[in-house]
Amino acid sequence: SNKSMTSDRNTYVGKRFVHVKNPYLDSMDEDILYHLDLGTKTHNLPAMFGDVKFVCVGGSPNRMKAFALFMRKELGLEESGEHIKDICAGTDRYCMYKIGPVLSISHGMGIPSISIMLHELIKLLHHAQCCDITIIRIGTSGGIGITPGSVVITDTAVDSFFKPRFEQVILDNIVTRSTELDKELAEELFNCSKGIPNFPTLIGHTMCTYDFYEGQGRLDGALCSFSREKKVDYLKRAYKAGVRNIEMESTVFAAMCRLCGLKAAVVCVTLLDRLECDQINLPHDVLVDYQQRPQLLISNFIKRRLGLH
Ligand code: R2B
Ligand code: URA
């Protein structure tokens, strides 16, 4: 890889390009990123995305639009004619906004949805020849034994058995991939959180499940075949294993970003304490405030990285 001087760290490091690990890609004459409504022949991807350094992903299209508008204000790009339009407007699967070096993209709910988006996003970053990318998932989650509204920065994503792995079914095999995240990045984000008043933040394991109800030990789904005691016992064992929150995308996100050489982090606010309840009954304004917390942390982080702080 290219050798270059990074001004902020004052050390020689190679530029980190995005690795795609697929021998067939190079021989394709055109690559259509179907769910993003973009393609290598229809769009000049290096011109559109070559300067991207920060990629922020989150489940809800509206929240990722709100994040884009917030970043535009925070980066002082409101007056510069930098307007906000959905780059993926030709599809209603995902939305995407670009604000200077920041890309904001929605991924929907659950592992299959984020996985499809990540395949196409990672190829997009590769085709655009992006380098030194930091990618962060900002989301919501259920806390375990912590005050609702707390922000959890994930050190390791674990599965329902509290193991740091993601099992991908490929043909009729199960391929196990590591879900470790970038520890330095997690620390850097944690340090940023200390600069924000009234901002409870911690680093811990995040459990990723395939379902919101039975898969997270809820007693309030359409189906439930276990007792309250079994639920509480499971969540307490999760807590003992280091799990502080539960969501539905972190393992595949960690695994794919790791394999493709992207520095990745997961930052989720907790909406409830699962040891206390299952239903999310926060007043609308409190919910809005909580959902803004990961956005606020990431905007502070990006501004610091860009030297705007
Ligand atoms: C967190 O919130 C969503 C479920 O409500 C899911 O996408 C997740 O990971
Ligand atoms: N998202 C989840 O996946 N679980 C919760 O309990 C809350 C938000």
Side-chain angles (χ1 to χ4, degrees):
S1 64
N2 284 345
K3 295 282 168 194
S4 69
M5 183 79 142
T6 61
S7 51
D8 52 342
R9 286 186 199 147
N10 213 29
T11 50
Y12 282 100
V13 291
K15 272 190 184 170
R16 297 170 58 91
F17 286 96
V18 180
H19 318 306
V20 288
K21 297 192 166 168
N22 175 358
Y24 295 99
L25 271 187
D26 278 346
S27 61
M28 282 164 56
D29 154 62
E30 177 177 15
D31 188 9
I32 296 167
L33 308 174
Y34 168 65
H35 302 88
L36 301 180
D37 194 38
L38 294 168
T40 51
K41 283 226 171 129
T42 46
H43 298 81
N44 182 346
L45 300 177
M48 290 173 74
F49 299 103
D51 64 340
V52 169
K53 295 294 173 202
F54 304 96
V55 179
C56 300
V57 307
S60 135
N62 279 326
R63 188 154 39 78
M64 296 321 287
K65 182 176 187 180
F67 176 69
L69 289 165
F70 180 55
M71 279 314 307
R72 187 177 64 153
K73 176 164 146 273
E74 293 296 294
L75 296 182
L77 296 172
E78 269 174 322
E79 250 91 283
S80 68
E82 183 98 11
H83 50 241
I84 215 95
K85 76 165 205 299
D86 183 359
I87 299 167
C88 300
T91 169
D92 57 5
R93 297 297 182 182
Y94 305 106
C95 72
M96 180 189 288
Y97 300 91
K98 185 176 178 299
I99 317 90
V102 181
L103 206 56
S104 176
I105 311 160
S106 69
H107 58 58
M109 285 192 286
I111 287 171
S113 182
I114 195 175
S115 157
I116 295 165
M117 189 281 278
L118 286 174
H119 275 282
E120 296 181 11
L121 170 67
I122 292 167
K123 290 195 295 172
L124 165 69
L125 299 172
H126 169 74
H127 292 312
Q129 289 157 21
C130 294
C131 67
D132 303 324
I133 297 273
T134 299
I135 182 165
I136 303 172
R137 162 167 148 70
I138 53 176
T140 58
S141 62
I144 306 181
I146 59 179
T147 314
S150 302
V151 171
V152 178
I153 301 168
T154 308
D155 54 6
T156 303
V158 299
D159 66 9
S160 298
F161 305 89
F162 321 138
K163 297 253 166 61
R165 64 180 179 194
F166 174 65
E167 294 185 326
Q168 174 72 57
V169 176
I170 302 177
L171 308 183
D172 47 0
N173 295 306
I174 295 174
V175 174
T176 303
R177 293 172 171 165
S178 164
T179 53
E180 236 168 277
L181 290 154
D182 192 282
K183 295 275 187 299
E184 274 180 35
L185 179 57
E187 286 292 337
E188 189 177 347
L189 287 163
F190 186 64
N191 283 333
C192 276
S193 76
K194 293 177 191 161
I196 310 173
N198 306 316
F199 202 84
T201 309
L202 55 109
I203 295 185
H205 298 349
T206 295
M207 180 161 79
C208 179
T209 68
Y210 282 94
D211 172 49
F212 183 84
Y213 289 99
E214 293 176 285
Q216 295 186 6
R218 278 189 158 79
L219 303 170
D220 64 339
L223 301 171
C224 183
S225 54
F226 48 86
S227 65
R228 182 181 302 278
E229 290 66 40
K230 287 275 182 208
K231 166 203 158 178
V232 171
D233 172 69
Y234 177 65
L235 295 179
K236 285 188 172 164
R237 282 187 288 121
Y239 187 91
K240 280 207 189 99
V243 175
R244 293 295 175 270
N245 65 339
I246 313 175
E247 47 77 272
M248 299 178 58
E249 294 86 15
S250 59
T251 50
V252 73
F253 172 79
M256 289 182 72
C257 293
R258 189 182 164 85
L259 284 170
C260 296
L262 293 168
K263 293 210 175 201
V266 177
V267 176
C268 291
V269 69
T270 59
L271 302 180
L272 74 175
D273 180 355
R274 291 300 317 290
L275 294 176
E276 302 292 331
C277 59
D278 292 335
Q279 297 231 312
I280 298 164
N281 56 7
L282 299 167
H284 181 74
D285 54 323
V286 176
L287 188 62
V288 170
D289 171 66
Y290 285 3
Q291 291 190 5
Q292 281 168 349
R293 291 183 180 185
Q295 302 184 30
L296 182 61
L297 177 58
I298 299 319
S299 107
N300 279 27
F301 163 79
I302 291 174
K303 284 191 289 178
R304 263 211 217 183
R305 277 274 185 103
L306 294 175
L308 299 172
H309 242 195

